[in-house]
């Protein structure tokens, strides 16, 4: 699944891409979005992974694969800062899965929303792989802990970019300029669940889930911290959390600005793109 060694920029990029693809596959499989035929099976130690493949009998899963490939293009060009998938039920957001990327020395990094600038150098491949396994295991555990989705679910994706390096006319394959408002409305009280991060000498990847508190079945689960902002406890190669992002745990109206490194004015609004929304009325 992962490169044998993760010591070069290219190997690190391959790891980030695979982690993204496996994570999105995990989310769609565990949330029952597509039929079994849309997935292949791979193993990571004793963890059975279901990975999306191009299933021509399921247009929805084909579309998600194209979305992931579009994100790959933005990663390769070192443009994308934040990618998220939102599951919505007219019109409220039910669950949101956020992937944050940073670039060190002009290299993509999947980051866990951090303002910590002194990244650890010389990370060994063994530690990176261990952090990758932990992130995927934690994501699988969280998926099992969430309540069932409503029947009328729509899946959407957005990509946010680093404006200072991204051409104004750039759009990844399959994406277009975002024409919708930047606010995401949750019907209830949203909480942030920090799944984990993976750090290499070149990349830092963060995965975070936002959902309504009532949708987490076991509120006293050992995956959720009882003190401070609600988040999944985890170990691994994490960075310090950006204090600004904690504010989003207390509001019903989650604005994209809270997921960015700084609150930016209208004249510096971050470039956003999206593919066509995907209705999922015929889920398995």
């Amino acid at each position: 699944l992962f490169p044998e060694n993760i010591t070069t920029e290219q190997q690190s990029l391959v790891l980030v891409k695979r982690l993204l693809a496996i994570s999105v596959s995990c989310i769609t499989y565990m949330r029952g979005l597509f039929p079994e035929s849309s997935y292949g099976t791979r193993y990571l130690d004793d963890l059975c992974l279901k990975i999306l493949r191009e299933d021509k009998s399921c247009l929805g899963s084909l579309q998600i694969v194209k979305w992931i490939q579009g994100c790959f293009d933005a990663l390769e060009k070192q443009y994308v800062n934040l990618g998220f998938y939102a599951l919505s039920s007219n019109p409220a957001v039910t669950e949101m899965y956020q992937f944050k990327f940073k670039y060190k020395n002009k290299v993509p990094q999947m980051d866990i929303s951090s303002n910590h600038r002194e990244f650890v150098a010389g990370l060994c491949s063994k530690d990176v792989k261990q952090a990758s396994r932990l992130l995927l295991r934690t994501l699988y555990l969280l998926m099992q802990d969430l309540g069932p989705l409503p029947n009328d679910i729509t899946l959407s994706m957005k990509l946010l970019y680093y404006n200072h390096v991204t051409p104004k006319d750039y759009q990844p394959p399959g994406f277009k300029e975002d024409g919708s408002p930047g606010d995401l409305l949750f019907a209830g009280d949203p909480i942030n669940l920090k799944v984990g991060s993976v750090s290499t000498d070149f990349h830092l990847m963060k995965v975070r889930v936002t959902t309504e508190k009532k949708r987490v079945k076991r509120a006293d689960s050992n995956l959720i911290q009882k003190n401070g902002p609600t988040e999944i406890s985890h170990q691994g190669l994490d960075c310090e959390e950006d204090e600004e992002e904690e504010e989003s745990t207390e509001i019903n109206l989650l604005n994209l600005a809270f997921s960015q490194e700084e609150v930016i004015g209208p004249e510096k609004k971050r470039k956003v793109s999206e593919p066509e929304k995907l209705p999922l009325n015929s889920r398995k």
Side-chain angles (χ1 to χ4, degrees):
L1 282 179
F2 302 127
E4 185 65 27
N5 295 303
I6 308 167
T7 56
T8 68
E9 175 181 337
Q10 183 59 33
Q11 290 168 342
S12 185
L13 179 59
V14 169
L15 174 72
V16 169
K17 286 181 177 181
R18 291 183 182 175
L19 272 176
L20 174 63
I22 294 170
S23 297
V24 173
S25 297
C26 164
I27 292 164
T28 61
Y29 183 80
M30 297 297 291
R31 304 310 282 141
L33 302 187
F34 305 118
E36 189 77 26
S37 61
S38 297
Y39 300 87
T41 301
R42 298 288 297 274
Y43 288 89
L44 182 63
D45 298 333
D46 60 340
L47 184 63
C48 179
L49 302 174
K50 296 293 185 176
I51 301 177
L52 277 167
R53 58 187 179 187
E54 294 184 276
D55 176 15
K56 294 183 179 179
S57 66
C58 180
L59 295 180
S61 63
L62 272 176
Q63 188 63 50
I64 297 297
V65 171
K66 291 180 180 178
W67 291 6
I68 295 172
Q69 291 171 344
C71 189
F72 285 176
D73 185 82
L75 273 170
E76 291 168 359
K77 291 180 170 63
Q78 306 173 9
Y79 294 160
V80 66
N81 165 236
L82 181 72
F84 69 85
Y85 295 79
L87 289 168
S88 306
S89 178
N90 292 321
V93 175
T94 303
E95 297 169 7
M96 185 175 71
Y97 299 87
Q98 178 176 302
F99 300 85
K100 189 169 183 180
F101 307 85
K102 281 189 179 179
Y103 300 79
K104 180 184 179 184
N105 297 327
K106 299 183 179 180
V107 177
Q109 301 175 321
M110 261 184 165
D111 166 65
I112 261 197
S113 352
S114 161
N115 58 3
H116 186 69
R117 302 303 182 189
E118 297 178 0
F119 301 111
V120 178
L123 294 170
C124 72
S125 299
K126 181 180 178 181
D127 290 340
V128 172
K129 291 179 181 179
Q130 179 60 30
S132 301
R133 294 186 189 98
L134 181 60
L135 185 149
L136 294 174
R137 286 181 182 277
T138 305
L139 186 59
Y140 264 79
L141 284 172
L142 174 60
M143 294 298 97
Q144 296 173 32
D145 209 32
L146 294 177
L149 290 169
N151 291 326
D152 57 334
I153 279 292
T154 297
L155 178 62
S156 60
M157 180 185 183
K158 293 183 188 289
L159 295 180
L160 284 73
Y161 304 90
Y162 288 104
N163 283 352
H164 67 287
V165 295
T166 307
K168 291 183 179 180
D169 60 350
Y170 171 76
Q171 295 294 342
F175 283 72
K176 62 181 181 179
E177 184 176 355
D178 176 34
S180 60
D183 292 335
L184 298 173
L185 178 65
F186 285 82
D189 294 329
I191 57 171
N192 289 324
L193 307 172
K194 287 178 261 183
V195 178
S197 66
V198 174
S199 176
T200 74
D201 288 339
F202 303 95
H203 301 77
L204 197 67
M205 166 181 177
K206 171 184 179 176
V207 181
R208 185 173 70 176
V209 178
T210 305
T211 188
E212 297 174 32
K213 188 174 183 179
K214 66 180 182 180
R215 295 185 49 76
V216 182
K217 290 181 180 178
R218 296 175 295 175
D220 60 346
S221 168
N222 58 7
L223 289 178
I224 300 177
Q225 293 181 358
K226 295 183 180 180
N227 298 324
T230 306
E231 57 193 41
I232 293 179
S233 8
H234 61 279
Q235 298 175 351
L237 307 174
D238 295 348
C239 289
E240 296 175 0
E241 184 67 10
D242 189 339
E243 293 180 356
E244 290 176 357
E245 299 200 357
E246 303 297 354
E247 299 177 20
S248 61
T249 62
E250 303 298 333
I251 57 176
N252 291 346
L253 191 63
L254 181 63
N255 191 293
L256 291 180
F258 286 101
S259 295
Q260 301 180 14
E261 289 185 48
E262 59 185 34
V263 178
I264 50 181
E267 71 281 358
K268 293 184 179 180
K269 186 176 179 180
R270 182 157 293 175
K271 175 181 173 66
V272 183
S273 61
E274 64 175 356
E276 295 294 334
K277 291 181 174 61
L278 185 62
L280 299 170
N281 296 326
S282 58
R283 294 184 288 131
K284 67 176 183 179

